[in-house]
Amino acid sequence: MDLETFWFCLIVVVWAMYFLLEGFDFGVGMLLPFVPRSDEERSTALRTIGPVWDGNEVWLVIAGGATFAAFPAWYATMFSGFYLALLLILVFLIVRVCSFEWRSKSETPGWRSTWTWANTIGSFGASLLWGVGLSSLVYGTPINADGDFTGNLLDLFSPYSVFAGIAVVALFAFHGATFLTLRTAGQLCDRAEAFARRLAIPAALLGAAYLAWTVVVAMDRNDKDLFPPAIPAAVGIAALALAVVFMFSRSNGRAFAMTALGTISLVATLFVSLYPRVMVSSTSFENSLTVDDAASSHYALQVMSVVALIFVPLVLLYQGWTYYVFRHRVGAEREAAV
């Protein structure tokens, strides 16, 4: 494997980690107005992600930094062309961050409700736009012969990319609901389990349809064969089907593991469908950016590889330790006291 491919694969892993971890964060945020019945229960739901949500955002920073350093031409075209979409995502993320910090600053019901909905809207908006934006990479955007984006924000919205956004929202909500079944106790856990069962079939169908459509788009617009994109897509479809089965058989831990695998498979299918290109041009296929054309120099990639091999495992170890420390159910002590 050459260094260009290695770094493309590493960026795929980083995006998979972001979707896996931030996916249930966003899911919990989207469910705040619907699953908890009281302000106390909403506070409990937020406590399940309170110690980890900001650490999960690290993977987004790594994804942006790795793209900038390893594939500067990709970074330049994508971040300039997707500027307004990325700005909207940033606004949603900022609103979400503020909701974590400001919700507890007052006991007024109106204040708390406002920031609860701010978290929900921020989680929903960011999830939707990530699905739209990343799917546009493989569907195609206007790129000229110089590698410059020549379109506007509306060029990111096609039937496929909009459906991708909806599928990501549904999958994240399902992922978040299964997470709540493992991290809460009592009536809140029971309601999270019931809501997860209601989400299971629609989310699985939307996710499976998106994975299948991605393979079709890859073959139609990116000159890919059925394989290998069909392999991660098949794994994802199987995982989502098993998530439904496990959810209805009350095997919540296994259901969460399958939504996690389904989320990872979604990212894998998208990027396998994209490679060896990093952005498909809808103007002329010959204008598409490839891994080789967009990469940094060989020496730069060598130095970065040494740094990545040292620090990425450290990030994984630290984050794994954090999840181990905060592995217990939130609210279990109150249920025991009652």
Side-chain angles (χ1 to χ4, degrees):
M1 179 188 296
D2 56 38
L3 286 177
E4 291 81 5
T5 301
F6 169 79
W7 271 94
F8 181 86
C9 292
L10 185 59
I11 288 173
V12 175
V13 170
V14 171
W15 276 112
M17 289 298 297
Y18 178 68
F19 267 49
L20 168 65
L21 300 176
E22 196 74 316
F24 64 71
D25 270 3
F26 287 148
V28 171
M30 286 187 275
L31 298 178
L32 284 176
F34 309 108
V35 175
R37 293 285 178 81
S38 65
D39 183 70
E40 183 179 2
E41 287 190 342
R42 291 186 183 93
S43 297
T44 299
L46 285 171
R47 284 170 57 200
T48 65
I49 58 175
V52 297
W53 68 266
D54 49 354
N56 296 341
E57 296 281 359
V58 168
W59 294 103
L60 177 60
V61 177
I62 295 175
T67 304
F68 171 77
F71 300 100
W74 181 13
Y75 179 92
T77 302
M78 182 170 68
F79 276 69
S80 60
F82 292 15
Y83 180 81
L84 286 178
L86 292 171
L87 180 62
L88 285 173
I89 290 174
L90 184 60
V91 169
F92 283 127
L93 293 177
I94 290 173
V95 167
R96 186 169 173 268
V97 169
C98 290
S99 73
F100 283 108
E101 299 297 328
W102 291 359
R103 185 179 178 277
S104 60
K105 300 300 182 183
S106 173
E107 297 296 328
T108 306
W111 174 272
R112 285 183 168 255
S113 177
T114 296
W115 289 110
T116 295
W117 277 102
N119 194 302
T120 298
I121 293 170
S123 300
F124 172 83
S127 302
L128 180 72
L129 288 178
W130 278 131
V132 170
L134 291 180
S135 295
S136 296
L137 296 176
V138 66
Y139 187 80
T141 55
I143 301 174
N144 64 20
D146 296 324
D148 298 325
F149 182 87
T150 58
N152 54 51
L153 178 64
L154 294 179
D155 288 309
L156 303 183
F157 291 87
S158 64
Y160 165 72
S161 64
V162 172
F163 184 83
I166 295 170
V168 169
V169 167
L171 181 56
F172 282 1
F174 184 28
H175 193 34
T178 59
F179 176 77
L180 283 176
T181 66
L182 301 179
R183 296 283 282 113
T184 57
Q187 293 182 354
L188 178 56
C189 180
D190 293 339
R191 280 196 293 276
E193 186 176 335
F195 206 86
R197 285 196 294 271
R198 285 157 56 185
L199 283 172
I201 294 176
L205 289 175
L206 286 169
Y210 168 68
L211 289 167
W213 198 350
T214 299
V215 175
V216 173
V217 167
M219 296 170 64
D220 181 49
R221 302 181 68 87
N222 196 27
D223 195 29
K224 297 286 289 186
D225 294 326
L226 179 61
F227 296 98
I231 297 174
V235 171
I237 292 170
L240 293 175
L242 286 173
V244 175
V245 173
F246 288 141
M247 200 66 246
F248 279 92
S249 63
R250 299 182 180 275
S251 299
N252 298 340
R254 293 178 180 178
F256 175 75
M258 289 301 102
T259 61
L261 180 57
T263 302
I264 293 172
S265 298
L266 183 149
V267 176
T269 302
L270 180 64
F271 282 95
V272 169
S273 298
L274 185 60
Y275 184 83
R277 278 157 283 278
V278 292
M279 290 186 74
V280 175
S281 172
S282 60
T283 306
S284 173
F285 188 66
E286 288 71 24
N287 297 341
S288 301
L289 296 179
T290 67
V291 168
D292 292 334
D293 294 338
S296 294
S297 68
H298 185 76
Y299 177 74
L301 293 178
Q302 280 184 318
V303 174
M304 290 165 51
S305 298
V306 174
V307 174
L309 290 173
I310 294 172
F311 286 101
V312 170
L314 291 177
V315 173
L316 287 168
L317 286 171
Y318 176 77
Q319 199 154 42
W321 175 80
T322 302
Y323 276 94
Y324 177 78
V325 170
F326 295 102
R327 67 190 183 279
H328 300 295
R329 291 181 181 268
V330 177
E333 65 282 354
R334 180 177 178 276
E335 292 292 327
V338 174

